[in-house]
Amino acid sequence: MSQTLYVVKIGGNVIDNPEACARFLKAFAQLDAPQILVHGGGKVATQVAAKLQIETQMVDGRRITDKPMLDVVTMVYGGLVNKNLVAQLQAEGCNAIGLTGADGGIIRSVKRPVKTIDYGFVGDIEAVNGEQINAILSSGLTPIIAPLTYSAEGLLLNTNADTMASATAVAMSEAFEVNLIYCFEKKGVLSDPDDDDAVIAKLIPATYEEYKTTGAINKGMIPKLDNAFAALNSGVTQVTICHADELANAVSGGAGTAIVL
Amino acid sequence: MSQTLYVVKIGGNVIDNPEACARFLKAFAQLDAPQILVHGGGKVATQVAAKLQIETQMVDGRRITDKPMLDVVTMVYGGLVNKNLVAQLQAEGCNAIGLTGADGGIIRSVKRPVKTIDYGFVGDIEAVNGEQINAILSSGLTPIIAPLTYSAEGLLLNTNADTMASATAVAMSEAFEVNLIYCFEKKGVLSDPDDDDAVIAKLIPATYEEYKTTGAINKGMIPKLDNAFAALNSGVTQVTICHADELANAVSGGAGTAIVL
């Protein structure tokens, strides 16, 4: 049996709240096995863009990334957010190293082809270099991955953090028993979107389909869960969706929603 | 005899010029031994700060870094500049990894004590972790280091890139024959600051003192040369100051100014 590896995704809403983020980082630093963190962007990019008088355009909750906006997300996700997480983790005794997909060539993507909508400088993941990530882990480092990838032509590309987390988890499942954990501001997947305590303890595909039909599971939760099931189908051992404050309990199955095939 | 390692510093003026920067990166990618790049910041931080209506205060050519300015340099140096260098080097076939001093805990500093001037969030280097940098090199990666370090308390700190390059060169000299090369927009150290072709081929301490007395060497060149001589005195094998377009010639001693004890 291989060693456990935790691949943890932390959402932008937690990044935006310094106290919640500090609590989460303390728990993340104390995980008892090798770990990788993938972080979202948060609202800071929109705020910085507004101050720079760059208009934020969203289509179906996705950011249109023209060149000025690409510079903003490169600054905010790859610089401000990523490096502050790294410095805080170092102070917690975790030997963090901040990376984008370009660093070490770990996650390469292609610029999304224009169909009906031109998303601009947005990447669809093509390849995760699990061997390189493993070499970084082996030198005693904990990768902290920002939601940016790169193309073979040397372009940086804005990339969905949930997808980066699941693609990374799948690539690492060749060498590890991977436990993929999505942490965000709710207690798990809810059977009633208006009741924050209606946490589904265990979600299987059949139930997922039912909840989608009734509309209990909707919007942003659907791509997250599609990613989760895809990861399980591609070799990831365990997927959990939980509150950022419950990471320690969630790794032992004591909190959040377990996604199960 | 140990293996050669190139520690190359590239100045902000070159970073500011996309064509000059692309030529330099192509030459850097083709060096024939393990290499480390340390980059300056360039004018982009000042431009971004201006757009964000954050005032840039300089004292004796040094930036005062209050908290809003620290966020700007973290975004620009650690994000925008660093990640674009990494993505361009990846496209040149160089397996680059962008780092600040916080990443992997490679360069720790202390916040500069306030004497007559409060420089704000500026770091004075305390320790370079050469073993960790060596582990990163050994996993086939080329570190690209931004001019930011971190404190034991988890603060990010704005740090002089020339000093980071020389401190890194010194730390790596325990395991390598280190060739430290400062690349900038002039052909080398000049005996006449008004004649760009008056390159001093070889500069020894006695001549340096004379040129300082006559004023031929002055201003920003003095800390750079002090760093260079200090590096030689602390185990670095070779120090060269050259034009960014002449990196390939400079490594073989065919261009720039050789700094010699």
Side-chain angles (χ1 to χ4, degrees):
Chain A
M1 176 134 164
S2 332
Q3 194 186 2
T4 295
L5 170 73
Y6 297 113
V7 176
V8 181
K9 153 81 200 305
I10 181 75
N13 285 343
V14 181
I15 301 279
D16 286 334
N17 178 333
E19 291 77 26
C21 188
R23 287 195 304 271
F24 167 80
L25 292 175
K26 191 177 277 284
F28 176 80
Q30 287 169 2
L31 289 176
D32 60 351
Q35 75 252 66
I36 294 173
L37 181 64
V38 181
H39 64 83
K43 296 202 183 77
V44 185
T46 303
Q47 291 161 358
V48 170
K51 286 190 197 164
L52 294 173
Q53 296 182 309
I54 296 166
E55 198 189 340
T56 296
Q57 289 180 277
M58 306 288 280
V59 175
D60 295 337
R62 286 168 186 266
R63 186 184 295 271
I64 304 286
T65 309
D66 59 7
K67 183 63 174 67
M69 187 57 77
L70 177 66
D71 284 352
V72 169
V73 298
T74 303
M75 289 196 291
V76 173
Y77 301 166
L80 191 64
V81 172
N82 188 266
K83 297 312 170 189
N84 276 293
L85 292 176
V86 167
Q88 286 176 66
L89 283 167
Q90 287 287 347
E92 293 289 346
C94 172
N95 197 2
I97 185 165
L99 305 171
T100 66
D103 296 289
I106 56 170
I107 308 179
R108 202 183 63 230
S109 61
V110 287
K111 188 166 177 289
R112 183 171 298 166
V114 178
K115 292 177 187 166
T116 50
I117 297 164
D118 183 358
Y119 285 99
F121 293 94
V122 165
D124 290 321
I125 294 173
E126 201 173 44
V128 177
N129 188 339
E131 277 182 40
Q132 186 69 67
I133 296 174
N134 209 346
I136 293 169
L137 287 167
S138 299
S139 60
L141 297 165
T142 295
I144 312 301
I145 304 180
L148 294 163
T149 56
Y150 79 115
S151 72
E153 299 76 32
L155 289 176
L156 289 166
L157 295 166
N158 192 5
T159 307
N160 181 272
D162 282 351
T163 314
M164 287 179 75
S166 63
T168 301
V170 168
M172 300 313 291
S173 67
E174 287 185 26
F176 292 91
E177 299 276 321
V178 177
N179 192 341
L180 170 61
I181 304 155
Y182 289 99
C183 294
F184 69 152
E185 70 284 5
K186 294 192 182 282
K187 290 184 180 170
V189 185
L190 305 177
S191 57
D192 174 355
D194 297 326
D195 179 358
D196 273 353
D197 290 320
V199 178
I200 302 167
K202 196 162 126 179
L203 185 66
I204 59 171
T207 332
Y208 175 41
E209 292 306 321
E210 282 173 33
Y211 281 125
K212 276 201 289 189
T213 308
T214 64
I217 294 177
N218 59 29
K219 293 183 187 163
M221 189 53 78
I222 291 176
K224 202 183 283 283
L225 286 169
D226 287 345
N227 269 328
F229 282 111
L232 289 172
N233 277 310
S234 303
V236 170
T237 307
Q238 195 176 325
V239 182
T240 310
I241 298 182
C242 69
H243 195 286
D245 276 342
E246 295 193 310
L247 176 62
N249 289 333
V251 298
S252 57
T257 300
I259 314 299
V260 180
L261 287 182
Chain B
M1 177 135 163
S2 331
Q3 194 187 2
T4 295
L5 171 73
Y6 298 113
V7 177
V8 181
K9 154 80 200 303
I10 182 72
N13 286 343
V14 181
I15 301 279
D16 286 334
N17 179 332
E19 292 78 26
C21 188
R23 288 195 302 272
F24 166 80
L25 292 175
K26 192 177 276 286
F28 176 78
Q30 288 169 1
L31 289 176
D32 60 351
Q35 75 252 66
I36 294 172
L37 181 64
V38 180
H39 65 83
K43 296 202 183 78
V44 185
T46 302
Q47 290 161 0
V48 170
K51 286 191 196 163
L52 294 172
Q53 297 182 308
I54 295 165
E55 197 189 343
T56 296
Q57 288 179 278
M58 306 288 280
V59 175
D60 295 337
R62 288 170 185 262
R63 187 184 294 272
I64 303 287
T65 308
D66 59 7
K67 183 65 175 65
M69 187 57 78
L70 177 67
D71 284 351
V72 169
V73 299
T74 302
M75 291 197 289
V76 173
Y77 302 165
L80 191 65
V81 173
N82 188 267
K83 298 310 170 190
N84 276 292
L85 292 175
V86 167
Q88 287 176 67
L89 284 166
Q90 287 288 347
E92 293 289 345
C94 171
N95 197 2
I97 186 166
L99 305 170
T100 66
D103 296 290
I106 57 169
I107 308 180
R108 203 183 62 230
S109 62
V110 287
K111 188 166 177 290
R112 184 171 298 165
V114 178
K115 290 176 185 165
T116 49
I117 298 164
D118 183 357
Y119 285 98
F121 293 94
V122 165
D124 291 321
I125 295 173
E126 200 174 44
V128 177
N129 187 339
E131 279 183 39
Q132 186 68 66
I133 295 174
N134 210 348
I136 293 169
L137 287 167
S138 299
S139 60
L141 297 165
T142 295
I144 313 300
I145 304 179
L148 295 162
T149 56
Y150 79 115
S151 72
E153 298 78 30
L155 290 176
L156 289 166
L157 296 167
N158 191 7
T159 307
N160 181 273
D162 283 351
T163 314
M164 286 179 76
S166 64
T168 302
V170 168
M172 300 313 291
S173 68
E174 287 186 24
F176 292 90
E177 300 275 321
V178 177
N179 191 341
L180 171 62
I181 304 155
Y182 289 99
C183 293
F184 68 151
E185 71 284 5
K186 294 191 183 282
K187 290 183 182 172
V189 184
L190 305 177
S191 57
D192 174 356
D194 297 325
D195 179 359
D196 273 352
D197 291 319
V199 178
I200 303 167
K202 197 163 128 179
L203 185 66
I204 59 170
T207 330
Y208 175 42
E209 291 306 321
E210 282 171 33
Y211 281 125
K212 277 200 290 189
T213 308
T214 64
I217 293 176
N218 59 30
K219 293 182 188 165
M221 189 52 79
I222 292 176
K224 201 183 284 285
L225 286 169
D226 287 344
N227 268 327
F229 282 112
L232 289 171
N233 276 312
S234 303
V236 170
T237 307
Q238 196 177 325
V239 182
T240 310
I241 297 182
C242 70
H243 195 285
D245 276 341
E246 296 193 310
L247 176 61
N249 288 333
V251 297
S252 57
T257 299
I259 314 300
V260 180
L261 286 184

